[in-house]
Amino acid sequence: METVLAYVATGYGIVMALSPVLQIRRMLRLRSSDDVSIAYLAVITVGFVVWVAYGLSIGVAALVVANATAFVVGVATIAVALRFRDRTAPRA
């Protein structure tokens, strides 16, 4: 049962890691990222690095794979958000 749960957790972790692609798709369609918090994306993306390091330190591939995927997608999301940021809009 533990092995099955490990595969399910890893699979779902990868699905979660890829979920920001939906936000990327929306930004590309609208050609705007004004409603996206880049600071939030940066915080969680840094967190993925911490989880990758932790996974490597304890030798758990499930943590490494899912969080490395999330890191790459997070960086891509930030890049797209920065590309479509309206530089003239006031920031809160």
Side-chain angles (χ1 to χ4, degrees), residues 8-69:
V8 169
T10 303
Y12 194 74
I14 291 170
V15 169
M16 288 174 48
L18 294 173
S19 66
V21 170
L22 299 170
Q23 186 68 54
I24 291 172
R25 195 175 94 193
R26 184 173 191 277
M27 288 185 288
L28 291 172
R29 183 173 39 94
L30 297 176
R31 304 201 56 78
S32 172
S33 66
D34 291 342
D35 60 343
V36 175
S37 171
I38 295 174
Y40 166 76
L41 294 171
V43 168
I44 64 170
T45 301
V46 169
F48 297 137
V49 173
V50 173
W51 279 105
V52 167
Y54 177 62
L56 289 170
S57 73
I58 63 172
V60 176
L63 287 175
V64 175
V65 170
N67 286 288
T69 303

